[in-house]
Amino acid sequence: MRSNGFSSCLADAFEQFVAWRCAGSGDFASQAARLHRFDRFLARSVSDPSEIDREVLGEYLASMARLAPSSKTGLVCVVWQALRYAARHGVALPPLPERPRFPRRTVVRPHIFSPEEIDRLLGAARDLGPSDSLRPETFFTLFALLVTTGIRIGEALAMDIGDIDFEGASLRIRRGKFGKSRIVPLHPTTVEALRTYMGRRLAAHGTDLGSAPFFSTLCKTRLAHRTVHGTYRELIERARISTPGGGLPRIHDLRHTFAVRRLLDWYGRGIDVNERLAALSTYLGHVDVSSTLVYLRPNEETLREAAKRFQHRCPLPIPAGEGSRDR
């Protein structure tokens, strides 16, 4: 048994893979635990990498039959990544089949906010009461930050004053999903908005300790998820924003909106989206690009831009005679 817990015939490759992912993704503990589960299965099932074929992988997938689709996806994702890593680094493995997919039982279609809806949402936040308190500025700045950076609501609420580098125009996410940390570059206008809020926050609460919560309540405590979700619902109803089905958009849809708007911006500037997806994935704090693609499901605007690009690259021929009739 090795000190890192890996004991199968792929122990060395798995150890190197985890070290590589930790170097690039910060905390990789949850994904490493999933890989340990697969390693234990291999230790019981095979003695040589050449035996890890479709049949063995099929047995592993069958052992996960009772898990939820999301749990299966998390396990298979890290296992397939580790096997590809091992193959690229000289381990003689049989050809790896395509990674299986496990569709979620219910797929929630995200609401992509229009610029006008964003304006109405932020306007409603400005109109919150008490008018002479910090509350309107707190929620305006919070939701504006979600719109302009795409960070998760939990990441925003966990922000401390010391996490913002005003001079370096960046935000340090210390408690992201799966415990991963990252640095998020900020647009100059976002920096100025945060600086303005910071000044008013100091005037109202009188503390600038680096460990103090950046977004705080009237009682000078950190904003709670329940409070934020309740206020968000109030703002959405005031702004008269609803999904095509008549429901209320989720806070998480602001993150989807950021990702889609970034994609549309790249389309509009003629940038190769495929080359930028890895950067967007890192910015959003995803483990891999496949997680980012969930945010980029086709919608009316992206399909329209894709059609324009296709028409530009592959213009349809004009039937003979039609051109003369139009002159």
Side-chain angles (χ1 to χ4, degrees):
M1 179 71 69
R2 293 167 179 265
S3 59
N4 61 15
F6 293 119
S7 59
S8 73
C9 57
L10 291 181
D12 288 338
F14 287 168
E15 179 180 0
Q16 294 167 12
F17 170 74
V18 171
W20 172 65
R21 289 309 305 265
C22 286
S25 304
D27 189 349
F28 195 66
S30 59
Q31 291 88 337
R34 294 167 181 166
L35 189 56
H36 276 287
R37 175 174 177 162
F38 179 64
D39 179 78
R40 291 191 295 270
F41 168 82
L42 290 182
R44 296 190 304 266
S45 306
V46 302
S47 58
D48 188 84
S50 62
E51 301 174 34
I52 307 175
D53 54 15
R54 288 176 178 269
E55 182 177 350
V56 169
L57 293 174
E59 292 175 3
Y60 173 66
L61 295 176
S63 72
M64 303 189 303
R66 295 186 177 183
L67 297 180
S70 58
S71 298
K72 292 180 184 178
T73 298
L75 284 166
V76 167
C77 183
V78 71
V79 166
W80 254 246
Q81 288 177 11
L83 291 175
R84 289 195 184 100
Y85 177 92
R88 287 198 304 267
H89 290 78
V91 178
L93 289 168
L96 186 65
E98 183 178 352
R99 178 163 67 88
R101 309 288 176 176
F102 305 99
R104 296 180 180 180
R105 293 188 181 94
T106 57
V107 177
V108 178
R109 187 178 181 84
H111 177 78
I112 306 304
F113 286 78
S114 69
E116 293 75 19
E117 288 175 332
I118 293 296
D119 287 343
R120 297 209 304 272
L121 173 65
L122 297 181
R126 287 263 195 211
D127 292 337
L128 283 170
S131 59
D132 58 346
S133 72
L134 188 65
R135 184 169 178 255
E137 288 299 319
T138 295
F139 284 100
F140 172 86
T141 307
L142 171 62
F143 292 125
L145 182 66
L146 299 182
V147 169
T148 57
T149 64
I151 64 174
R152 302 176 179 93
I153 181 61
E155 294 170 343
L157 298 185
M159 285 170 51
D160 291 340
I161 290 176
D163 292 332
I164 302 175
D165 181 355
F166 290 103
E167 299 305 318
S170 65
L171 168 64
R172 179 179 58 174
I173 303 294
R174 294 178 293 106
R175 295 186 286 272
K177 194 172 183 179
F178 302 123
K180 298 190 300 296
S181 298
R182 68 188 190 279
I183 300 297
V184 176
L186 300 175
H187 191 274
T189 57
T190 303
V191 174
E192 285 307 308
L194 294 176
R195 194 192 302 274
T196 298
Y197 172 75
M198 181 66 184
R200 294 173 180 171
R201 184 199 177 289
L202 290 177
H205 293 173
T207 177
D208 59 354
L209 294 175
S211 60
F214 187 77
F215 294 110
S216 57
T217 67
L218 298 178
C219 297
K220 304 181 183 180
T221 59
R222 192 179 302 275
L223 283 174
H225 279 267
R226 183 175 180 178
T227 300
V228 172
H229 281 274
T231 303
Y232 171 79
R233 182 184 181 91
E234 176 187 347
L235 297 178
I236 286 293
E237 292 176 342
R238 284 190 184 184
R240 300 178 182 271
I241 301 172
S242 62
T243 66
L248 298 180
R250 306 165 302 164
I251 286 183
H252 201 64
D253 289 342
L254 295 173
R255 183 167 161 87
H256 281 272
T257 299
F258 170 84
V260 169
R261 294 297 170 198
R262 177 53 51 203
L263 185 72
L264 291 171
D265 177 66
W266 287 339
Y267 271 136
R269 291 192 283 156
I271 294 173
D272 188 337
V273 171
N274 291 326
E275 292 185 356
R276 294 292 185 92
L277 280 180
L280 180 60
S281 181
T282 300
Y283 187 92
L284 290 172
H286 288 151
V287 174
D288 56 39
V289 173
S290 63
S291 299
T292 308
L293 295 177
V294 174
Y295 287 75
L296 303 177
R297 292 190 183 97
N299 59 59
E300 183 178 349
E301 290 187 76
T302 55
L303 289 175
R304 187 186 306 121
E305 289 297 329
K308 288 180 182 177
R309 177 164 291 196
F310 177 81
Q311 177 63 21
H312 177 72
R313 294 188 175 182
C314 306
L316 298 177
I318 300 177
E322 286 195 8
S324 60
R325 290 198 300 268
D326 293 336
R327 291 176 182 171

